[in-house]
Amino acid sequence: MGVSPMTFARCATLSALALLAGCGGGTPAATEPKAQPASATAPAPVTPPPADAPRLALPIACEIGVTCELQNYLDRDPGPAEQDYRCGRRTYEAHGGIDFRLLDMAAQRAGVAVLAAAPGKVSRLRDGVEDISVRTPGVDVSNRQCGNGVVVDHGSGWETQYCHLARGSIIVKAGDTIVTGQPLAKVGLSGNTEYPHLHLTVRHNGVTIDPFAPTPGAACDPGTGPASSLWDGPTGQMLAYQDGAVLNAGFAAGPVAPEAVEAGGIPQPTAASAMMIAYVRAIGLKGGDVQEITLTAPGGEVLAQSRLAPLDRDKAQYLLYAGKKRPGSGWPQGVYTARYIVIRSGATALQREYRLTF
């Protein structure tokens, strides 16, 4: 079925290098990141984590894939390139931790708790840093890249650090003994960040450790699974590696800007709206990915569709939308459906379907 000429589609993008993940670098992990196994599909041998290492629970009170996503992994490449533990590029140069990203600032304002990943004692903390994006003119985060943060000592040289906490939200103090899952603070926008997220760093004897693959000297491996990680069983399954994700998807009554999606709370169109827009923001896309978004009417008619050319390089995030002006007869009552897909190497890598009812 043809697409009406009264349609439009727009996109906004940031490359993986251009998007600040909002965290300082860590002590380089001792790895050989360039080596890859002969088979990219065979599971890697299970290497148990160090016996004295803490088993980590999810350090944030959100649901992965629903109310938050994992934005960046730790960079295992000691040089100028970037490489995550599965030999992918879901990271950036010298990124020294794991980023758990909220969907938007509306979620941050509602309050999302940061939780202790393991039992221990609070060794140090900082509060008082303003919650403001580093893209704001005049913002200087020199020597405060972590923003407001908490460090927990787990014994035997192990510690976890929690960064970008909301100013005034820290509810523990140095010397406190804590248990797994205990609230420490709330997710904020302090320090070197432009979006609300928790940056978690794990260290052993001062060396940054990748909680997904903590064995010192280990090469990245596409077959690495949760059994080799520091995560406890349920958390390891929850944090199974994802080569990209849909962060936001919805409907709007007019063209959407990246700033509006980041702010959250975009009003949905009504039967009286002059336009209907379907939008989506995806993260962790790869060079060569082909994106398509389609908006259909209650009867199945295609109202708008946009299929983009293959991406020229990896994208940390990408905003795409398509829509149509209200017909002269008004919007028919019923269910409107938007479908977003990402084709990678000839197969569907990501998809999201969502609906609006009048």
Side-chain angles (χ1 to χ4, degrees):
M1 187 172 293
V3 179
S4 165
M6 292 179 62
T7 62
F8 46 93
R10 300 287 170 84
C11 61
T13 179
L14 287 171
S15 71
L17 293 180
L19 179 66
L20 289 174
C23 313
T27 305
T31 61
E32 296 292 340
K34 297 301 182 182
Q36 296 192 23
S39 171
T41 57
V46 174
T47 302
D52 63 350
R55 300 296 283 178
L56 305 178
L58 190 67
I60 182 172
C62 64
E63 185 177 354
I64 301 294
V66 179
T67 57
C68 62
E69 288 289 355
L70 203 158
Q71 174 75 48
N72 293 301
Y73 294 94
L74 182 143
D75 179 23
R76 298 178 66 87
D77 190 316
E82 63 279 340
Q83 195 168 60
D84 62 43
Y85 79 102
R86 291 281 293 263
C87 304
R89 298 184 64 194
R90 291 289 310 279
T91 184
Y92 64 93
E93 183 185 354
H95 185 232
I98 310 299
D99 289 342
F100 297 90
R101 182 177 183 174
L102 302 186
L103 304 187
D104 50 40
M105 286 301 299
Q108 188 275 327
R109 289 190 296 272
V112 177
V114 173
L115 311 174
K121 180 177 290 188
V122 177
S123 60
R124 56 195 186 275
L125 56 82
R126 176 172 56 202
D127 202 348
V129 181
E130 184 179 8
D131 290 291
I132 186 170
S133 169
V134 292
R135 290 192 176 272
T136 304
V139 172
D140 181 8
V141 296
S142 300
N143 301 316
R144 298 181 301 165
Q145 290 188 333
C146 177
N148 304 311
V150 173
V151 177
V152 177
D153 182 354
H154 304 289
S156 301
W158 291 92
E159 68 177 19
T160 50
Q161 180 175 1
Y162 308 78
C163 292
H164 311 312
L165 309 180
R167 182 168 63 177
S169 73
I170 298 175
I171 56 176
V172 293
K173 62 184 184 298
D176 282 357
T177 298
I178 59 172
V179 297
T180 302
Q182 181 174 331
L184 305 175
K186 292 184 178 179
V187 177
L189 196 69
S190 62
N192 186 24
T193 181
E194 63 182 83
Y195 53 80
H197 73 283
L198 166 67
H199 172 93
L200 175 74
T201 295
V202 180
R203 299 187 187 91
H204 186 226
N205 294 329
V207 176
T208 300
I209 298 294
D210 187 346
F212 285 93
T215 303
C220 72
D221 191 326
T224 301
S228 297
S229 76
L230 294 182
W231 305 109
D232 64 28
T235 304
Q237 295 299 324
M238 187 186 310
L239 298 180
Y241 188 83
Q242 292 189 24
D243 235 341
V246 173
L247 190 65
N248 311 91
F251 296 89
V256 291
E259 297 79 9
V261 177
E262 188 60 50
I266 295 176
Q268 290 192 335
T270 67
S273 296
M275 293 182 182
M276 181 184 297
I277 306 290
Y279 67 89
V280 66
R281 181 169 62 163
I283 60 175
L285 299 178
K286 289 187 172 184
D289 284 353
V290 175
Q291 299 177 86
E292 180 179 284
I293 187 170
T294 304
L295 174 63
T296 58
E301 174 190 2
V302 175
L303 298 177
Q305 185 177 66
S306 177
R307 184 181 177 93
L308 302 185
L311 296 177
D312 60 342
R313 60 189 183 279
D314 291 0
K315 306 291 183 180
Q317 67 178 23
Y318 206 107
L319 172 63
L320 174 66
Y321 63 86
K324 183 177 180 178
K325 295 181 179 179
R326 184 181 60 200
S329 59
W331 297 114
Q333 291 187 343
V335 178
Y336 293 80
T337 302
R339 185 169 186 262
Y340 169 74
I341 60 172
V342 175
I343 305 299
R344 179 177 298 158
S345 301
T348 299
L350 290 175
Q351 61 181 331
R352 176 71 63 88
E353 190 170 283
Y354 46 107
R355 296 172 176 80
L356 174 70
T357 302
F358 288 157

